[in-house]
Amino acid sequence: MSSIKVPDHLPSPAEDCEQLRKAFQGWGTNEDLIISILAHRNAAQRSLIRNNYAETYGEDLLKELEKELSSDFERIVLLWTLEPADRDAFMVNEATKRLTSNNLVLVEVACTRKSIELFKVRQAYQVRFKRSLEEDVAYHTSGDIRKLLVPLITSLRYEGDEVSKTLAKSEAKILHEKIADKEFNHDEVIRILTTRSKAQLLATLNHYNNDYGNAINKCYQTAELRATMSNECACFQDLKDDPNDEYLKLLRTTIKSLTFPERHFAKILRLAINKLGTDEWALARVVASRAEIDMERIKEEYYRRNSVPLDRAIAKDTSGDYGKMLLELIGHGDA
Amino acid sequence: MSSIKVPDHLPSPAEDCEQLRKAFQGWGTNEDLIISILAHRNAAQRSLIRNNYAETYGEDLLKELEKELSSDFERIVLLWTLEPADRDAFMVNEATKRLTSNNLVLVEVACTRKSIELFKVRQAYQVRFKRSLEEDVAYHTSGDIRKLLVPLITSLRYEGDEVSKTLAKSEAKILHEKIADKEFNHDEVIRILTTRSKAQLLATLNHYNNDYGNAINKCYQTAELRATMSNECACFQDLKDDPNDEYLKLLRTTIKSLTFPERHFAKILRLAINKLGTDEWALARVVASRAEIDMERIKEEYYRRNSVPLDRAIAKDTSGDYGKMLLELIGHGDA
């Protein structure tokens, strides 16, 4: 569920553009006005505003924002204003660059977007960078990490809910055998995690829990149970062999992002906020990409794990226009 | 260039459907009438005919054709009448099944279709089979063959013509080193062949020719030269280490399909026709999938290699309505 609030009486894109233009003019910039408009328009509406702005003033709204704003506030406004597929293309490109390399972002985008959306990210990537996403990911990685990332970011998972129980049972067995033998990078482990539909994978992980999990983990059956359980699934636990191994971390992120994305995002937010100095990039990434999708559910998961509402945690950790923008996007009570 | 001939005065889809309906009725089936209509309509026109037929008679034209026709003639008419993406989805599915397994078809479809078309094949596959293509390919293969096929069939190659000379040089070196060491299944060989754009790959193979090829192969520079040269590129030659190794065969097919698809198809046709008993499946596959795309060029390549025009070879090897349909599709002189 989306956390942004679009006003009942929506101004036309032309009216919004006029207001934005005003916000940029004269002495200083009217940040409050910018926030009051952009934070309360959905992706389709923001796209209309960008088009209208280019037609009316002959300038790219994004370029204008870049000129007027700065620092953390600039980043969140720009990320938010980009088309979702283009935003993802930008973020995964950053993640493949040497200096800003971040394989977790690649796994996150590959596993939490719908199949068709991931495809649009790949198209947007080519338009922006004149190369394919898989080309850059494969070029900048090697070994087990490449073996996992390339099929993940090129996947077009089936999204129907048909599930084969026989397959779930046999593939749970394969996963368990390979993991028990510490063959974490086995072709079959990667095949199962990178190609099966989310519904099929959930069935397989449930079988894993039932057949090979300890008692505490045998509660992964339904979405409701998943939401109340305090432990991760057995397969996830069994992949904690070496907590610092990057490949294993990415495998765990794959499983969590595919089967329980809200919990994945809640964890990323927790780590970003608790970090000394706050990881503003991670915070902006999750807020910009999830506000319109499942932020309400992420807030629930965040509260369940931290006993503090997300809005209060963000209000405490951020300030100024930047903090205001984040709070408008995630929706806030009295924070 | 397409080899089919659409009449200048095109009947409406409704008129075509009426004629087809007539062809199915009464004693026997009027095969000539079916050929005279379907072989002379392009994909968009055939699609309109199918829609109109379903609306007017409440029946699926494909089902009707299946009922009325038989054997080789039935196969080519059905393959031809299918939407291109759906036809490919059907063919690659056959290719992943145990009894009709054919990895060469997977390479062919992955490497000779445009990026967006390959994506549509993957979508059509999911609609038809309720699973993803990569899921089935990965499940039915293993080892080096899986390592090659999965990235090929999930690729969305960049199709611009920007080429990096530095990259071409460095990756030609990598290819040459690995191939010289007989590390044909090296991750880097697979990365380069499965992710780079066709333009980039051609530049890389040209560097390979220039820097590591023997004199006879140094003629791979331009499309015109490619077309007149009698030998394959040096890299292709160097992959002939063990002519019967399936993985190496698929690597060679990958290179040829990506850089010189017309020659690949001409070869498939030659093998199909020369085979004792003719490989009707391969013949139908190539004719149905290339008639509207590049059959005129394939005919040129066929003649260059065999000194016999393709239409004459097909006329000699096939008969009846089946032969007639093939000849109408590839366009024929006096054959």
Side-chain angles (χ1 to χ4, degrees):
Chain A
M1 223 186 98
S2 167
S3 59
I4 68 159
K5 280 174 200 71
V6 173
D8 293 337
H9 298 286
L10 188 70
S12 70
E15 288 167 318
D16 279 343
C17 287
E18 206 178 309
Q19 292 298 307
L20 286 169
R21 188 75 174 178
K22 266 189 205 155
F24 300 150
Q25 282 168 336
W27 264 92
T29 304
N30 188 341
E31 284 85 0
D32 280 342
L33 186 53
I34 296 174
I35 296 173
S36 75
I37 298 169
L38 290 179
H40 299 282
R41 302 292 181 271
N42 65 30
Q45 292 159 350
R46 297 193 305 276
S47 176
L48 289 176
I49 292 175
R50 271 190 73 181
N51 290 343
N52 192 289
Y53 199 93
E55 278 167 25
T56 311
Y57 304 107
E59 314 216 37
D60 183 350
L61 177 60
L62 283 171
K63 292 250 163 67
E64 296 270 83
L65 290 166
E66 224 177 306
K67 216 161 52 187
E68 298 290 330
L69 314 179
S70 65
S71 177
D72 297 336
F73 180 53
E74 175 189 357
R75 185 194 301 120
I76 183 66
V77 173
L78 288 179
L79 278 183
W80 173 247
T81 309
L82 279 169
E83 304 269 339
D86 202 27
R87 179 201 302 139
D88 282 349
F90 171 76
M91 296 194 309
V92 292
N93 178 257
E94 287 292 307
T96 61
K97 287 186 191 164
R98 203 178 301 259
L99 291 174
T100 48
S101 167
N102 191 338
N103 292 327
L104 182 141
V105 172
L106 296 173
V107 172
E108 179 180 294
V109 170
C111 297
T112 63
R113 274 45 165 175
K114 288 199 176 124
S115 295
I116 185 74
E117 287 168 358
L118 180 58
F119 173 72
K120 287 183 187 160
V121 175
R122 295 171 71 191
Q123 285 189 305
Y125 194 96
Q126 298 198 1
V127 171
R128 221 176 221 272
F129 304 107
K130 310 285 174 206
R131 292 185 306 272
S132 75
L133 171 58
E134 61 266 34
E135 188 173 359
D136 282 356
V137 170
Y139 189 56
H140 288 99
T141 54
S142 63
D144 291 344
I145 291 185
R146 179 194 287 169
K147 222 169 116 179
L148 175 67
L149 290 180
V150 173
L152 279 182
I153 55 107
T154 53
S155 66
L156 185 79
R157 288 182 203 264
Y158 177 62
E159 289 179 332
D161 49 16
E162 294 88 349
V163 159
S164 156
K165 284 193 183 177
T166 325
L167 209 59
K169 216 173 162 56
S170 68
E171 298 197 336
K173 189 158 173 278
I174 295 174
L175 286 180
H176 181 253
E177 282 170 6
K178 300 308 169 197
I179 290 172
D181 292 348
K182 298 193 189 295
E183 291 191 80
F184 306 117
N185 64 351
H186 194 281
D187 285 359
E188 286 289 273
V189 172
I190 290 182
R191 174 184 66 77
I192 294 167
L193 295 181
T194 59
T195 68
R196 291 304 184 193
S197 75
K198 293 182 186 182
Q200 181 66 44
L201 210 51
L202 199 59
T204 300
L205 294 174
N206 278 327
H207 265 287
Y208 191 111
N209 269 353
N210 296 341
D211 298 350
Y212 314 108
N214 52 35
I216 227 167
N217 282 317
K218 291 194 175 180
C219 54
Y220 204 66
Q221 302 280 4
T222 64
E224 295 73 48
L225 275 172
R226 278 196 297 133
T228 54
M229 74 180 185
S230 58
N231 283 50
E232 301 291 345
C233 74
C235 178
F236 186 95
Q237 292 289 354
D238 294 344
L239 288 169
K240 287 195 170 161
D241 188 58
D242 172 359
N244 291 317
D245 181 90
E246 192 195 354
Y247 171 74
L248 282 185
K249 263 189 210 168
L250 294 176
L251 267 195
R252 293 196 301 272
T253 303
T254 302
I255 292 181
K256 198 187 252 181
S257 301
L258 287 169
T259 58
F260 207 163
E262 305 88 354
R263 179 168 288 187
H264 161 78
F265 287 116
K267 184 183 171 187
I268 298 293
L269 288 173
R270 178 168 60 86
L271 295 176
I273 291 171
N274 292 354
K275 205 174 166 184
L276 199 68
T278 309
D279 182 348
E280 313 297 353
W281 250 108
L283 192 51
R285 177 181 97 233
V286 176
V287 171
S289 63
R290 307 316 290 183
E292 278 181 279
I293 314 290
D294 52 5
M295 185 53 78
E296 289 301 332
R297 284 282 296 108
I298 294 172
K299 280 154 75 177
E300 281 175 41
E301 291 306 319
Y302 187 91
Y303 183 73
R304 197 190 314 285
R305 174 66 179 77
N306 303 283
S307 306
V308 174
L310 179 61
D311 56 355
R312 210 177 300 159
I314 287 182
K316 204 174 138 231
D317 239 52
T318 59
S319 63
D321 301 317
Y322 171 55
K324 255 188 243 169
M325 179 77 183
L326 290 175
L327 289 177
E328 290 299 310
L329 289 177
I330 69 162
H332 54 105
D334 53 358
Chain B
M1 221 186 100
S2 167
S3 58
I4 68 160
K5 281 174 200 68
V6 173
D8 292 338
H9 297 286
L10 187 71
S12 71
E15 288 167 319
D16 279 342
C17 287
E18 206 179 307
Q19 291 299 306
L20 286 169
R21 189 75 173 180
K22 266 188 202 153
F24 302 150
Q25 283 168 340
W27 264 92
T29 303
N30 188 341
E31 283 85 0
D32 281 340
L33 186 53
I34 294 174
I35 295 173
S36 74
I37 298 170
L38 290 179
H40 299 282
R41 301 292 181 271
N42 65 30
Q45 293 159 349
R46 298 194 303 279
S47 175
L48 289 175
I49 294 176
R50 272 189 73 180
N51 290 342
N52 192 290
Y53 199 96
E55 277 168 24
T56 312
Y57 304 108
E59 313 216 36
D60 183 350
L61 177 60
L62 283 171
K63 293 249 162 66
E64 297 271 83
L65 290 166
E66 222 177 306
K67 216 161 55 190
E68 299 290 331
L69 314 180
S70 65
S71 180
D72 298 335
F73 180 53
E74 175 189 357
R75 186 194 301 122
I76 182 66
V77 174
L78 289 179
L79 278 183
W80 174 246
T81 309
L82 278 169
E83 306 268 339
D86 202 27
R87 178 202 301 139
D88 282 348
F90 171 76
M91 295 194 308
V92 291
N93 177 256
E94 287 294 306
T96 60
K97 288 184 189 166
R98 201 177 303 258
L99 291 174
T100 48
S101 167
N102 191 338
N103 292 328
L104 182 141
V105 173
L106 296 173
V107 173
E108 179 180 294
V109 170
C111 297
T112 63
R113 275 44 165 175
K114 289 199 176 123
S115 295
I116 186 73
E117 287 168 358
L118 181 58
F119 173 73
K120 287 182 187 162
V121 175
R122 296 170 71 190
Q123 285 189 305
Y125 194 98
Q126 297 198 2
V127 171
R128 222 176 219 270
F129 304 108
K130 310 284 173 208
R131 292 185 306 274
S132 75
L133 171 57
E134 62 264 34
E135 186 173 359
D136 283 357
V137 170
Y139 189 55
H140 288 99
T141 54
S142 63
D144 291 342
I145 291 185
R146 180 195 286 170
K147 221 168 115 180
L148 175 67
L149 290 180
V150 172
L152 279 183
I153 55 107
T154 54
S155 66
L156 184 79
R157 286 182 205 263
Y158 177 62
E159 289 177 332
D161 48 18
E162 294 88 348
V163 160
S164 156
K165 285 192 182 177
T166 325
L167 209 60
K169 215 170 163 57
S170 69
E171 298 197 337
K173 187 159 175 278
I174 296 175
L175 286 181
H176 180 254
E177 282 170 5
K178 300 308 170 198
I179 291 172
D181 292 347
K182 297 191 189 297
E183 290 190 83
F184 306 116
N185 64 352
H186 193 281
D187 285 359
E188 285 289 275
V189 173
I190 291 183
R191 174 185 66 78
I192 293 167
L193 295 181
T194 59
T195 68
R196 291 304 183 194
S197 76
K198 292 180 188 183
Q200 181 66 46
L201 210 52
L202 199 59
T204 299
L205 293 174
N206 278 329
H207 265 287
Y208 191 112
N209 270 354
N210 296 341
D211 298 349
Y212 315 107
N214 52 37
I216 226 166
N217 281 317
K218 292 193 175 180
C219 56
Y220 204 67
Q221 302 280 4
T222 64
E224 295 73 48
L225 276 172
R226 278 196 297 135
T228 54
M229 75 180 183
S230 58
N231 282 48
E232 301 293 345
C233 74
C235 178
F236 185 95
Q237 292 290 356
D238 295 343
L239 288 169
K240 286 193 170 162
D241 188 58
D242 171 1
N244 291 316
D245 180 272
E246 193 195 353
Y247 171 74
L248 281 186
K249 264 189 210 168
L250 294 176
L251 267 196
R252 293 196 301 271
T253 304
T254 302
I255 291 181
K256 199 187 252 181
S257 300
L258 288 170
T259 58
F260 207 162
E262 306 87 356
R263 179 168 286 186
H264 161 79
F265 287 115
K267 184 183 173 186
I268 298 293
L269 289 173
R270 177 168 62 85
L271 296 176
I273 292 170
N274 292 355
K275 204 176 168 183
L276 200 70
T278 310
D279 182 348
E280 314 296 356
W281 249 107
L283 193 51
R285 178 182 95 233
V286 175
V287 171
S289 63
R290 306 317 290 184
E292 277 181 279
I293 313 289
D294 53 3
M295 185 53 79
E296 290 301 333
R297 284 282 296 112
I298 295 171
K299 280 154 75 176
E300 280 174 42
E301 291 306 318
Y302 187 90
Y303 183 74
R304 196 191 315 283
R305 174 67 179 76
N306 303 282
S307 306
V308 174
L310 179 62
D311 57 353
R312 210 177 300 158
I314 288 182
K316 203 175 139 231
D317 239 53
T318 60
S319 63
D321 301 317
Y322 171 55
K324 255 188 245 169
M325 178 76 182
L326 290 174
L327 289 177
E328 290 299 310
L329 289 177
I330 68 160
H332 54 105
D334 53 356

